[in-house]
Amino acid sequence: MNKIEVNGTSLAYDDTGSGTPVVLLHAGIADRRMWREQIGPLAARHRVIAVDLRGYGDSELPPAPFAHHDDVAGLLDALDIPSAALVGCSFGGAVAVDVALAHPQRVTALALLGTAVSGHEWSEEANELWERLVGEVDPEDFVASAAGEVRFWVVGPGRDPEDVDPELIAFATEMDQRALAAELALSAVDVAELDPPAIGRLAELRMPVLVTAGAADVPDISRLADQIAAEAPYATRLPDVPAAGHLLPLERPAPVNAALLDFLP
């Protein structure tokens, strides 16, 4: 693990391999460890940087206002990297898109895996699925909250927990408990959002974009992938990855790695 000062905070990251740079941005229910199956294969051809976003994992959270997308640009500055490809999953994908809109000259390509998008509003179907699968949970009960989020996101609405590798569920639960503590701390800090948000600006993404989702994920995620592919001018929509939920890089690394190696410049 490395640490580096970025925009007044200390970000933790792993820096592996050499070649064209690729930055991996983790899901909001995870941290940089979710990329453990990607780093080795990608590092054979690329300089791979897996970072904990501010407040998550081993990165710090000073009380000063900040924006995640500016932190990623600041990380590139601190590492003396003019531009990089960004690979993001879920919340990390939303941050990647925001970086590409706020700092387009810094992003050579975007790979978005089960991505969120800033400004997107969840459908009534998604809200009803949450109520059916999880229900009300005390947000300060990290154990119960993580169990609910893993059931919703990692297992997905069309599968039972018994259908999913128990090691994946255990690892995702451990990461999510830590991420929930990070999100509680982040709620007390002024986190600036991209303005206007990305959901109405996808046509501004002028770099190559690869987008896919897990076939077992919440339907909203697949629809977002469709929307990005329809609106971003240089987007490629891969079919949803079979037998994969929200953390598809962990659950189905082989097809994800093959797609990334084929796409990344």
Side-chain angles (χ1 to χ4, degrees):
M1 180 186 73
N2 305 292
K3 284 205 165 185
I4 196 165
E5 291 298 311
V6 173
N7 296 338
T9 193
S10 178
L11 296 184
Y13 68 102
D14 300 315
D15 192 342
T16 311
S18 60
T20 55
V22 177
V23 178
L24 307 178
L25 300 172
H26 60 81
I29 61 173
D31 53 52
R32 74 184 194 282
R33 292 175 295 164
M34 70 161 284
W35 301 108
R36 65 187 186 183
E37 302 292 341
Q38 281 68 54
I39 290 175
L42 293 182
R45 281 189 2 208
H46 300 277
R47 180 182 179 185
V48 183
I49 299 154
V51 63
D52 282 332
L53 293 167
R54 188 185 300 217
Y56 289 88
D58 297 308
S59 290
E60 296 178 0
L61 182 64
F66 77 100
H68 286 297
H69 52 273
D70 290 335
D71 275 359
V72 175
L75 175 69
L76 296 179
D77 289 338
L79 295 175
D80 197 26
I81 297 174
S83 60
L86 304 183
V87 179
C89 178
S90 185
F91 170 65
V95 173
V97 172
D98 286 354
V99 177
L101 292 170
H103 308 280
Q105 73 281 4
R106 312 303 300 273
V107 180
T108 59
L110 282 175
L112 305 172
L113 311 171
T115 195
V117 177
S118 63
H120 168 259
E121 294 187 6
W122 297 105
S123 70
E124 188 59 34
E125 177 191 11
N127 294 330
E128 290 172 357
L129 283 171
W130 178 271
E131 288 301 315
R132 177 169 64 83
L133 295 172
V134 182
E136 289 191 23
V137 179
D138 179 356
E140 295 189 14
D141 184 343
F142 297 153
V143 172
S145 293
E149 290 195 341
V150 168
R151 174 65 186 88
F152 186 77
W153 291 114
V154 179
V155 176
R159 300 192 292 186
D160 294 321
E162 295 76 21
D163 300 328
V164 180
D165 180 355
E167 193 279 332
L168 172 63
I169 290 180
F171 183 43
T173 300
E174 187 271 322
M175 284 195 295
D176 194 25
Q177 288 180 14
R178 197 174 183 189
L180 285 164
E183 289 174 356
L184 183 63
L186 282 161
S187 68
V189 178
D190 183 6
V191 184
E193 306 291 342
L194 187 70
D195 185 24
I199 195 63
R201 302 173 58 187
L202 298 173
E204 296 177 34
L205 297 173
R206 308 299 295 180
M207 66 289 297
V209 178
L210 183 74
V211 60
T212 188
D217 204 344
V218 178
D220 275 33
I221 296 297
S222 186
R223 294 186 195 115
L224 267 177
D226 291 340
Q227 182 175 351
I228 295 166
E231 297 182 18
Y234 305 108
T236 299
R237 172 70 158 100
L238 293 184
D240 289 349
V241 179
H246 202 51
L247 296 184
L248 62 160
L250 266 174
E251 190 170 10
R252 294 289 177 263
V256 168
N257 293 348
L260 291 175
L261 286 167
D262 186 57
F263 169 74
L264 291 169

